[in-house]
Amino acid sequence: MAPEPALRLRGITKRYGAVVACDGVDLTLERGEIHGLLGENGAGKSTLMRILLGLETQDSGAIDRDGRAVTITGPRQAAALGISMVHQHFSLVDPLAVWENVALGQSGPVRRAAVRAGVRAAAERYGLAIDPDARVGSLSAGERQRVELLKCLRRDPAVLIMDEPTSVLTRAESAELFAVLRRVVAAEHRAVVLISHKLAEITTATDRVTVIRAGRVVLRRATAATTEAELAREMVGREVTLGAAVGVLPHAPAPAAPASSQAALRLRGLTTRPGLDDLCLTVHAGEIVGLYGAEGNGQKSLGDVLSGLTVPDAGTVEVAGAPVDLRRPGALSAAGLGIVPEDRHHAGVVLDLSVAENLVMTRLGDVSGRVFVDRRRLRRRARALADEYGITAPSLDSPLRTLSGGNQQRVVLARELSGRPRVLVAAQPSRGLDVGAVEDLYARLRRCASDGIAVLVISTELEEILALTTRVATIFRGRIVGELPTAQADAERLGLLTGGAA
Amino acid sequence: MSTVAADLETILSSGIRLAAPLAFAACGEYVAERAGTLNVSVEAMMLGAAFGSIAVAGLTGSATAGLLAGVLLGALVGSVHGALSHRWHVNTFVVGLVLNALVLGLTSYLVTVGDLGRHQVAQVSVPGLRDLPVLGAPLFVERWPVYLLLALVPLTWWLVERSRWGLELRAAGENPEAADMTGIRVNLRRRQALLWCGALAGLGGAYLAVGEVGSFNQNMTAGRGYLVIAAVIFGGWRLGRTLVGCAVFGLADALRLALPALGHTVNSQLLISAPYLLALLAMLLFTTRQRRPGALAQPFRRAS
Ligand SMILES: Nc1ncnc2c1ncn2[C@@H]1O[C@H](COP(=O)(O)OP(=O)(O)OP(=O)(O)O)[C@@H](O)[C@H]1O
Ligand SMILES: [Mg+2]
C-alpha cells in the first residue's frame, strides 16, 4: 500500500463576499517532494496556505493529514499537526534577538544556552549562518529569511510552507535556499510547498507543480513534464510573451528621449551611520539608472533618506539642480521626487485605510476642495487608477490588508507612477508581482523615462537591471563602487564590481 | 544628631513609604505595558484594593487578611479590564477611565455607610541595622509588606525577561500579528498580564491603606495610579528605571509633606500638584521611546 500523502486538500472553497478566493481546490502534498504553487496576483495562493495554517477557515472542503481528517483552528494547532509556514510577510518580532524569536516558536521553558546552541547546530546543519544574539530588526532581508526558516525547522514540521520566500532574496541567496530545501526534503523527508512568481525557480527547484487561476486549479503536473511557457500560459489563461520572468529579455532599447545633460537627481556624499558612506550618484532626465548590489549594502538606508524617513548625517540631495532641505517633512515630494519604497508595509501603505484612500494618499490636494476631501472625486480617481493598473480588490472601500500581496504592490506603483514626478525612485519594484504585471511595470517605467522623468531603479535582481536600465551603478557597503552603461554590463562584470557578493 | 541629618532622615523615611505603593503597582503596570496594554485602570486597582483591605481587615480582624483581599480585588479589576478590552475589544482607555470613575464613586459611597475603623499590619525593625546613621530608620524600620518588594521586583524581572510567559508576552506587546502567526495566544497573554498588574497594583493600594495609613479615606490614592503610569514611561519601559521613577516621585511627595514642618510656607494647593508636575517634567526631559513596546495600546484581532 502506498503511504498516505503528508497532506491532502479536497475541494477547498473560500469566499470573501463576492470574491471567490479558492474554488474547489484539490491539492496533494507528498513527503520528500517540493511542490510548486503558481498563479497570478490574487489567484488565491496565500489564502489557501492561510487555511492550512488555521488563519482562515474554509467555507467547504476537507483536509487530511497523513490520511486522517483534521480541522485546523489556528497556527498553534497547525504547528502541533506538523504544519509550519515561512510567511510572505515575516512573522518575526524585530526588537527580540534571533534566539528569542526561535524560542518563541517552540514550547517549554526558555533555556537561553540550549536555544542558542540549537540555533548554531541547525545553522551548521542546513548551512544557514546566523548570529543567535543579533537583534532581528538589524538584519537584512536575506538574514531574516534564514531566521524564519530556522524557526520553522526547529519545530520539526512534516509540512513546510513557503509563501514567496525568494521575493526578497538575491539570486545567490535563493540558490542557497533551494539547496537547503533540497536537503530538508531529501534527508529529512518533509513535504514543502513553494510559492513563487519566478517561473525559472519553479522549474528548477520543484518536483511537482500546481497552477491556480482565479481560485481554481488549472494545471497539475510533474515539473519535469512542463515548460515555463506552458506554466505562464496556464497562469494567465492565454498565450503570453515570456519576458522578464524567464530572464531572457534582451537589453533595454535605447531611451526614446536622449538623456539630457541636466541632472534631475544628484546625490552628493550621502552618509548615514550605519548604511551609507559618502554615496554620490547622478540621474539625468530621461534615463533609467539601476542601482545594483546584494541586499544589505545600504539600499535600505538610501531608500529611507529618499523617502524622508531619515535625515543623513552628511551629504545633500538635489532635485532639478536645487538642494532639498531634508529636515523638512514632505520636502522631497514637494520637489518632485516620487518613491516606491522597498518595505511597502513600513513606508508605502496604510493597511487599515481603504484601497481608494491608499491610492490617492500622497496627492490629496488633487481631490480636495478648500477644506474637505471630495469623496466623489477621490473615488473617481481611485477607480481610474485601479482599472489602469489592473488592481483586483473586493471593493475600493475595503481595507488594503484584504488585497493579495501583489495587488498591494500595484496600489503603491499606481499611486507613485501616476503622480507625474520629476524623479522616480523605485526600490525592488517588481517584488511580489506576477509575470504579466512585471512586464506591464517595465513598459510603464520605460514610458516614464521617455516622457523625461529621471528614473532610479534600486534592485538586487540582475535580470531586472539588465532588462530595464540604460546605466548601472553598483553599490557595496554604502558606496558606489562602479558605474557603466548597461550595454557593457553582464553578470560577471557586475559581480566583480559588487565585491563578488552578488 | 544634627537637625539637618534628622530632617533628611524624616524625608527619606516618608519618601520610601510613599514610594513603596508606587513601586508595587509599577511592577504590575510594567508587565501590562510590555504586553501591549497602556493600562489606565491602575488607579481603580489601587483605590479598590485600599478600600477592600481595610474593610476585610475590619471583618476578619486581621490586617494581613486585608492585604490579601486587596491583592485579590486588584486582580479582579484587572480581569474585568482584561475581559472587556482583550476579549470583547472595548477601547482600553475607555474601559480604564470608566473603571476609575466607578471605583472612585463606589468607594466614596461605601466609606460613608459605616465606620471602617483602623487596621494596620505590624512593623518590623531590623536589629543592628536600624541604628545606622541617617539610612538606618528609613530602610530598616518598616511595615513588613515593604520587604515583599525585595522578592517581587526580581520575580517581575525574571518573569518578563527570562520565562516563556514573559517572552510570549513581550512578543504580544511588540508585534501581535507576528506573535499570532507563531501560535501565541496574544489576547490571553495580555489578559494574564493585566491580572498580574491588578494583583500588584492591588498590593500597592492595600499597602497604602493597611500598611502605611491604617485607615481608608475617600479617594485616598489621589491619582497615584497615574504617577505609576508616568513612572513606567519615564523609565523608558525598563524595570530598573521605572523603579527609580517611583523613588523620585515618592521623595518629591515626602518633601512636599515635610516642607511646612521645616518652616517653609508654600501654597498647599500648589504643593499637592508638585509630584504630578515633576512627573510631567521628568517625562519631558528623560523619556526615551527606544524600548516602547511596538504595539502599545493597540488592540489585536486577527484580520479577516
Ligand atoms: N480578508 C479578506 N477579505 C476580502 N478579500 C480577501 C481577503 N483576503 C484575501 N482576499 C481576496 O482573495 C483573493 C486571493 O488573495 P490571495 O492573497 O490568496 O492571492 P495570492 O494568490 O496570494 O496573490 P499574490 O500573488 O498577489 O500574493 C484576492 O482577490 C484578495 O483580494
Ligand atoms: Mg500571496
Side-chain angles (χ1 to χ4, degrees):
Chain A
M1 194 181 83
E4 291 285 349
L7 206 62
R8 171 178 283 151
L9 314 189
R10 287 179 284 133
I12 300 286
T13 298
K14 175 75 190 174
R15 283 192 193 79
Y16 296 105
V19 181
V20 187
C22 301
D23 190 357
V25 174
D26 296 325
L27 186 70
T28 305
L29 305 176
E30 302 283 355
R31 283 213 180 68
E33 270 189 5
I34 301 181
H35 196 124
L37 193 56
L38 263 175
E40 287 184 293
N41 292 137
K45 306 176 296 292
S46 297
T47 304
L48 195 61
M49 296 304 115
R50 287 170 63 82
I51 289 171
L52 285 186
L53 223 64
L55 290 165
E56 304 279 0
T57 316
Q58 69 269 32
D59 299 328
S60 61
I63 302 172
D64 295 343
R65 168 89 179 83
D66 277 340
R68 280 209 314 276
V70 291
T71 17
I72 305 173
T73 55
R76 90 177 9 249
Q77 201 219 338
L81 288 168
I83 305 171
S84 227
M85 171 150 157
V86 169
H87 291 266
Q88 188 171 9
H89 297 109
F90 293 108
S91 75
L92 301 177
V93 182
D94 277 1
L96 301 184
V98 168
W99 74 266
E100 287 178 308
N101 269 287
V102 172
L104 262 187
Q106 298 173 291
S107 50
V110 179
R111 289 194 227 299
R112 181 167 175 206
V115 178
R116 287 164 79 229
V119 169
R120 288 224 178 78
E124 179 96 6
R125 175 150 48 109
Y126 299 112
L128 297 163
I130 197 83
D131 171 12
D133 294 320
R135 239 172 36 89
V136 163
S138 69
L139 301 179
S140 73
E143 291 169 318
R144 294 171 65 101
Q145 179 88 67
R146 277 181 224 165
V147 181
E148 282 273 356
L149 190 55
L150 276 177
K151 180 176 156 191
C152 253
L153 289 173
R154 290 278 298 164
R155 290 177 160 184
D156 196 25
V159 180
L160 179 60
I161 300 167
M162 309 202 68
D163 195 351
E164 299 189 32
T166 56
S167 64
V168 293
L169 301 186
T170 61
R171 245 198 186 182
E173 285 170 332
S174 303
E176 181 187 287
L177 172 69
F178 294 139
V180 173
L181 286 185
R182 196 36 83 189
R183 240 168 287 157
V184 164
V185 162
E188 299 173 3
H189 223 60
R190 303 178 203 274
V192 173
V193 182
L194 178 68
I195 298 179
S196 173
H197 287 297
K198 296 173 193 160
L199 296 177
E201 291 180 357
I202 296 288
T203 51
T204 55
T206 67
D207 303 303
R208 193 169 291 282
V209 57
T210 297
V211 178
I212 54 181
R213 189 197 315 147
R216 287 171 168 278
V217 174
V218 291
L219 178 105
R220 219 190 306 267
R221 189 138 325 153
T223 310
T226 182
T227 62
E228 287 172 19
E230 182 187 26
L231 292 176
R233 188 174 62 233
E234 290 301 328
M235 258 170 71
V236 185
R238 60 186 154 76
E239 208 59 50
V240 283
T241 52
L242 270 185
V246 192
V248 293
L249 268 198
H251 281 180
S260 70
S261 57
Q262 197 215 351
L265 175 70
R266 175 167 283 156
L267 312 175
R268 281 187 211 256
L270 281 185
T271 303
T272 59
R273 263 170 296 258
L276 301 177
D277 175 19
D278 195 24
L279 182 131
C280 301
L281 186 68
T282 303
V283 186
H284 299 279
E287 67 173 344
I288 306 182
V289 172
L291 185 66
Y292 176 65
E295 180 93 39
N297 275 297
Q299 295 96 323
K300 186 163 170 295
S301 309
L302 180 60
D304 284 350
V305 169
L306 293 178
S307 329
L309 286 177
T310 45
V311 178
D313 298 321
T316 56
V317 175
E318 285 172 26
V319 175
V324 180
D325 179 2
L326 294 171
R327 282 161 313 185
R328 242 184 50 232
L332 281 161
S333 122
L337 185 138
I339 181 157
V340 179
E342 173 182 342
D343 183 352
R344 258 76 66 175
H345 282 184
H346 192 58
V349 297
V350 183
L351 286 174
D352 289 315
L353 285 185
S354 74
V355 176
E357 285 161 330
N358 270 287
L359 273 169
V360 300
M361 198 160 60
T362 51
R363 307 187 56 77
L364 279 177
D366 293 0
V367 291
S368 306
R370 197 161 293 171
V371 184
F372 296 106
V373 173
D374 179 341
R375 305 296 304 186
R376 286 237 314 282
R377 248 189 321 175
L378 183 151
R379 288 187 57 86
R380 210 175 321 130
R381 184 170 162 77
R383 163 66 41 218
L385 282 176
D387 289 345
E388 189 186 343
Y389 286 81
I391 295 166
T392 324
S395 98
L396 286 180
D397 298 317
S398 4
L400 194 78
R401 66 164 76 250
T402 63
L403 264 61
S404 79
N407 279 301
Q408 293 179 8
Q409 166 69 340
R410 290 178 197 206
V411 167
V412 182
L413 289 170
R415 185 181 68 211
E416 295 304 328
L417 265 54
S418 67
R420 300 273 113 209
R422 229 182 265 203
V423 178
L424 179 70
V425 179
Q428 321 297 353
S430 62
R431 236 173 227 183
L433 294 183
D434 65 36
V435 184
V438 172
E439 301 236 290
D440 180 58
L441 165 73
Y442 289 179
R444 282 176 199 280
L445 287 176
R446 290 200 187 97
R447 209 171 317 135
C448 280
S450 60
D451 289 350
I453 297 175
V455 182
L456 175 63
V457 175
I458 304 175
S459 179
T460 52
E461 302 208 26
L462 188 64
E463 292 81 8
E464 182 155 284
I465 294 284
L466 293 180
L468 196 56
T469 65
T470 44
R471 190 155 58 87
V472 49
T474 52
I475 185 169
F476 183 63
R477 298 206 176 135
R479 299 178 77 99
I480 301 295
V481 290
E483 224 176 301
L484 72 171
T486 308
Q488 297 169 19
D490 55 39
E492 199 181 342
R493 282 190 76 169
L494 289 178
L496 285 174
L497 282 174
T498 47
Chain B
M1 201 190 271
S2 73
T3 50
V4 176
D7 287 347
L8 203 61
E9 199 177 305
T10 317
I11 291 170
L12 268 181
S13 284
S14 76
I16 285 173
R17 282 177 201 148
L18 290 163
L22 301 183
F24 282 118
C27 284
E29 178 72 13
Y30 168 77
V31 173
E33 294 207 13
R34 291 299 298 266
T37 314
L38 213 170
N39 175 35
V40 184
S41 67
V42 237
E43 179 73 8
M45 293 166 173
M46 292 179 80
L47 186 61
F51 173 83
S53 64
I54 290 288
V56 170
L59 288 174
T60 61
S62 155
T64 304
L67 199 72
L68 214 64
V71 172
L72 293 178
L73 262 173
L76 179 70
V77 175
S79 68
V80 170
H81 189 139
L84 285 169
S85 63
H86 299 305
R87 195 189 288 280
W88 295 305
H89 303 286
V90 185
N91 181 299
T92 180
F93 295 114
V94 174
V95 172
L97 293 175
V98 167
L99 283 174
N100 288 351
L102 195 72
V103 171
L104 177 60
L106 209 61
T107 53
S108 300
Y109 163 71
L110 288 174
V111 78
T112 62
V113 172
D115 184 19
L116 291 167
R118 289 192 56 83
H119 312 277
Q120 202 163 14
V121 295
Q123 179 162 298
V124 294
S125 69
V126 186
L129 290 173
R130 67 178 169 222
D131 301 323
L132 287 176
V134 184
L135 289 180
L139 288 179
F140 301 107
V141 183
E142 294 293 346
R143 301 285 157 181
W144 67 264
V146 172
Y147 296 113
L148 289 176
L149 275 173
L150 294 179
L152 285 172
V153 171
L155 177 64
T156 300
W157 178 86
W158 186 87
L159 278 175
V160 171
E161 299 293 337
R162 287 289 177 267
S163 74
R164 163 156 303 274
W165 185 68
L167 181 61
E168 298 195 358
L169 180 144
R170 280 184 283 145
E174 294 290 353
N175 188 340
E177 281 82 19
D180 180 55
M181 295 274 191
T182 310
I184 289 163
R185 281 176 278 188
V186 171
N187 285 312
L188 177 69
R189 288 291 170 268
R190 290 182 165 183
R191 291 198 299 269
Q192 290 169 338
L194 272 172
L195 209 60
W196 174 262
C197 176
L200 284 191
L203 183 55
Y207 167 80
L208 190 68
V210 290
E212 247 358 280
V213 181
S215 64
F216 180 83
N217 42 56
Q218 191 194 343
N219 191 21
M220 87 178 291
T221 48
R224 283 190 174 78
Y226 298 102
L227 278 185
V228 168
I229 298 172
V232 175
I233 298 173
F234 166 80
W237 293 273
R238 288 162 196 266
L239 186 56
R241 297 185 194 184
T242 297
L243 293 172
V244 170
C246 293
V248 170
F249 297 153
L251 282 173
D253 214 9
L255 207 60
R256 162 177 80 84
L257 293 173
L259 278 182
L262 299 180
H264 299 274
T265 47
V266 187
N267 182 306
S268 67
Q269 304 300 324
L270 198 65
L271 264 180
I272 287 176
S273 64
Y276 301 95
L277 285 176
L278 183 76
L280 202 65
L281 198 69
M283 291 205 301
L284 273 175
L285 293 179
F286 301 111
T287 298
T288 62
R289 294 170 60 88
Q290 259 182 14
R291 282 269 206 110
R292 184 180 202 272
L296 187 62
Q298 290 168 20
F300 173 73
R301 277 169 125 161
R302 198 173 283 165
S304 65

